[in-house]
Amino acid sequence: MRQDGHKIRSVLPGGIAEEMGIEPGMTLVSINGQAVEDVFDYRYLMSGEYLNVLIREENGEETLLEIEKDPDEEFGVEFESSMMDDYKSCRNKCIFCFIDQMPKGMRETLYFKDDDSRLSFLQGNYVTLTNMSDKDIDRIIRYRMEPINISVQTTNPELRCRMLNNRFAGDVFPKIQKLHEHHIHMNGQIVLCKGFNDGEELDRSIRDLTAYLPEMQSVSVVPVGISRYREGLEPLLPFTKEDACAVIDLIESWQKKMYEMTSEKAASDDLDAADWTPSHFIHASDEWYLLAERPIPDADQYDGYIQYENGVGMLRLLEEEVSSFLDDPDEDAVRLEGRSHQRKVTIATGRLAGPSLRRFVALTRQKYPFVTVDVTEITNRFFGESITVSGLITGQDLIGQLKEKQQSGEDLGEELLIPVNMLRSGEEVFLDDLTLTDVRRELGIPVRVVWEGGDDFVRAILGLPHVKEEERQTYE
């Protein structure tokens, strides 16, 4: 715990702090006599109506401020660190960790392995719980830091120790049980590794995790990503089409059982029936269906897209949004109907999403035939061709392969469209530190970042401006 307090970086205009004369450079020492460990202590203590806030000025003089405010009224300051503490790094050496599969020489922040429950609450990150003490669990319960997203991987304690390379990794299930007993909402994730936690082990994990319902709201199953930089690491095999079919069959059999069971619970007269909602509980990410060459499930199978950020239902939701926009276009799009002036664009994406995007483009062109769209699948030469998601495409692969098209005489059109997840969150930087400016300069073409959502996808194809900016997705 920090004993010297937290230095204030900026004071927001119109807030309590500005009114009280707080200035950047001052330090928050305590609230109601309690030291502030991190942002969760701060938010919890600041939620009161009557506060005694101890502030230290830069010359060392301390002032106790007596504040009366509404419970939801912000104090109005920002600190040097948004967490107000150091990030907790991962103590495991998981056999499936993608950070261990990255080459040397990339920027330092890409090699940091976070395993911080606070980031799980703030940003949706998944945590293993292996570095959490009983005190940490108690803080989650006291502050209602939910939902907590947990990297389960397997409920077999011995296998979990082996997969995480941590002899204590199998001791986390009493912690999950305690969260369950205190009604803390959780989501789970299983990164499936062939020959380790698939097959009967996956069936066991799903069965065991149902014991934490209804607090364990959902569990996703995603395939391990295998790069070409695995020297000295546990050998892992890629999944085949037949493997993907087996995974889907197992998950869908459980989905049927879980939806029937949770529907009965939700409709019962039990006192806890209000805590239940009909749910499929376990979900396969889109990669499994694409690898198995099976149709993406209908929207109602995704339970409101609760595992969207894990790639569960992304393509189904995008198709729904594209269709919805085309059925009911906004005024800008309506004005383009019947346009004769031709427009050509190139969409760059990963091999995984390419076929689906071509289908969405075909839907768009039925209504707006004046636009020609070339969907170009970028092969991941940097990490290896088995990596097929767009979020791991580097700037050098993007530039290199599109330059090859140009050199062969192909025209990229008026604009290059790329998905937002190719870039670092909040920046215009690719994984290899190349920037959008580099892409524009090397290819000699304007580049547009397409935000998540079917409406922005269609508007980008048509050349219409963004309606609104959405928060960028971080790297998976």
Side-chain angles (χ1 to χ4, degrees):
M1 181 181 297
R2 296 175 62 100
Q3 299 298 325
D4 57 345
H6 301 273
K7 183 167 286 189
I8 296 170
R9 183 186 65 191
S10 60
V11 178
L12 303 180
I16 296 174
E18 183 183 54
E19 183 181 337
M20 302 294 290
I22 304 301
E23 297 178 354
M26 293 183 176
T27 299
L28 172 68
V29 179
S30 67
I31 302 173
N32 294 340
Q34 296 185 44
V36 178
E37 180 176 347
D38 58 22
V39 66
F40 293 104
D41 279 342
Y42 172 76
R43 289 185 178 181
Y44 180 75
L45 293 170
M46 275 292 183
S47 65
E49 296 183 50
Y50 303 97
L51 306 176
N52 291 315
V53 179
L54 185 60
I55 296 292
R56 182 188 305 123
E57 298 184 30
E58 293 187 84
N59 62 8
E61 182 179 345
E62 293 186 349
T63 303
L64 185 64
L65 306 177
E66 295 183 354
I67 299 172
E68 180 178 349
K69 68 177 191 62
D70 295 330
D72 58 350
E73 190 175 2
E74 297 287 342
F75 186 52
V77 299
E78 293 179 340
F79 298 93
E80 291 185 332
S81 165
S82 61
M83 188 69 73
M84 300 176 69
D85 193 16
D86 294 330
Y87 293 96
K88 293 183 180 180
S89 62
C90 185
R91 299 178 181 176
N92 310 307
K93 192 169 179 59
C94 303
I95 63 172
F96 49 84
C97 181
F98 199 83
I99 293 177
D100 290 337
Q101 301 181 66
M102 293 200 300
K104 297 179 180 179
M106 303 180 76
R107 63 175 175 270
E108 184 178 350
T109 54
L110 292 177
Y111 300 100
F112 178 77
K113 303 179 184 180
D114 77 76
D115 196 18
D116 199 314
S117 62
R118 298 168 298 186
L119 287 176
S120 177
F121 176 73
L122 290 173
Q123 299 179 4
N125 296 20
Y126 278 77
V127 293
T128 66
L129 302 185
T130 54
N131 67 358
M132 294 190 66
S133 64
D134 290 338
K135 174 190 172 185
D136 294 324
I137 296 294
D138 289 339
R139 291 183 79 225
I140 290 175
I141 294 169
R142 181 169 71 252
Y143 294 157
R144 307 302 301 178
M145 292 163 53
E146 56 183 347
I148 291 295
N149 298 321
I150 302 172
S151 291
V152 180
Q153 319 313 357
T154 175
T155 57
N156 179 334
E158 294 77 19
L159 178 59
R160 195 171 196 264
C161 290
R162 180 185 174 193
M163 291 187 69
L164 272 62
N165 276 306
N166 183 335
R167 62 193 178 96
F168 302 110
D171 300 337
V172 302
F173 298 105
K175 298 175 184 176
I176 297 178
Q177 178 64 28
K178 187 172 184 179
L179 295 173
H180 164 64
E181 292 172 353
H182 286 82
H183 306 294
I184 297 296
H185 290 153
M186 299 171 278
N187 294 300
Q189 179 195 60
I190 296 174
V191 177
L192 215 60
C193 300
K194 188 172 181 176
F196 288 87
N197 57 342
D198 55 347
E200 293 183 1
E201 288 292 347
L202 176 58
D203 187 57
R204 167 184 170 164
S205 295
I206 297 171
R207 179 178 295 104
D208 290 347
L209 290 172
T210 63
Y212 303 120
L213 281 162
E215 285 73 24
M216 183 69 75
Q217 300 172 308
S218 67
V219 179
S220 62
V221 180
V222 302
V224 62
I226 304 175
S227 87
R228 63 188 179 95
Y229 300 99
R230 287 196 61 85
E231 295 84 359
L233 301 178
E234 180 86 37
L236 291 177
L237 296 173
F239 286 99
T240 64
K241 176 180 177 180
E242 292 71 25
D243 296 329
C245 290
V247 170
I248 292 171
D249 289 342
L250 176 61
I251 288 176
E252 289 188 345
S253 67
W254 270 104
Q255 285 183 325
K256 182 178 179 181
K257 288 187 289 188
M258 296 312 300
Y259 195 80
E260 291 174 354
M261 186 272 283
T262 55
S263 296
E264 290 177 2
K265 283 280 190 181
S268 71
D269 295 329
D270 295 342
L271 293 177
D272 64 348
D275 297 329
W276 291 79
T277 185
S279 166
H280 294 86
F281 183 65
I282 183 76
H283 300 275
S285 65
D286 292 356
E287 294 104 312
W288 296 113
Y289 288 93
L290 296 173
L291 181 57
E293 298 179 2
R294 291 188 181 181
I296 301 290
D298 293 336
D300 58 6
Q301 196 163 317
Y302 290 108
D303 300 335
Y305 299 100
I306 193 170
Q307 285 273 0
Y308 176 85
E309 294 297 337
N310 258 337
V312 176
M314 277 188 168
L315 292 176
R316 171 57 66 205
L317 181 59
L318 182 60
E319 184 171 8
E320 279 195 322
E321 291 174 341
V322 167
S323 298
S324 176
F325 185 87
L326 293 174
D327 290 340
D328 185 20
D330 59 25
E331 293 181 1
D332 291 338
V334 168
R335 281 193 287 267
L336 293 179
E337 294 179 11
R339 169 179 157 176
S340 59
H341 177 69
Q342 298 297 300
R343 168 177 165 82
K344 181 179 179 181
V345 298
T346 294
I347 296 177
T349 187
R351 284 168 44 206
L352 190 70
S356 297
L357 294 190
R358 289 190 183 93
R359 191 171 71 253
F360 305 156
V361 165
L363 291 174
T364 303
R365 293 196 71 246
Q366 289 176 11
K367 189 161 188 172
Y368 302 97
F370 67 84
V371 65
T372 300
V373 183
D374 176 32
V375 177
T376 299
E377 297 174 12
I378 304 297
T379 300
N380 202 318
R381 297 169 182 168
F382 187 89
F383 287 112
E385 294 190 12
S386 64
I387 302 299
T388 58
V389 295
S390 59
L392 290 173
I393 290 174
T394 58
Q396 58 192 272
D397 275 341
L398 180 70
I399 293 171
Q401 292 171 50
L402 290 178
K403 263 193 170 183
E404 291 172 7
K405 290 173 71 81
Q406 289 178 321
Q407 291 167 355
S408 67
E410 294 189 45
D411 179 18
L412 299 182
E414 301 174 27
E415 202 169 26
L416 171 64
L417 312 181
I418 65 170
V420 66
N421 64 356
M422 280 191 190
L423 302 174
R424 186 179 181 185
S425 180
E427 299 183 21
E428 296 187 346
V429 182
F430 293 85
L431 271 171
D432 56 356
D433 282 343
L434 292 180
T435 66
L436 285 182
T437 300
D438 296 323
V439 177
R440 294 183 182 108
R441 182 184 65 250
E442 293 295 323
L443 298 178
I445 183 175
V447 182
R448 170 166 171 166
V449 178
V450 182
W451 303 109
E452 295 176 5
D455 55 347
D456 199 59
F457 177 81
V458 177
R459 291 180 67 88
I461 290 174
L462 300 180
L464 296 172
H466 296 293
V467 174
K468 61 178 180 179
E469 291 193 356
E470 298 181 7
E471 182 179 347
R472 294 188 175 182
Q473 181 174 303
T474 56
Y475 292 128
E476 294 286 342

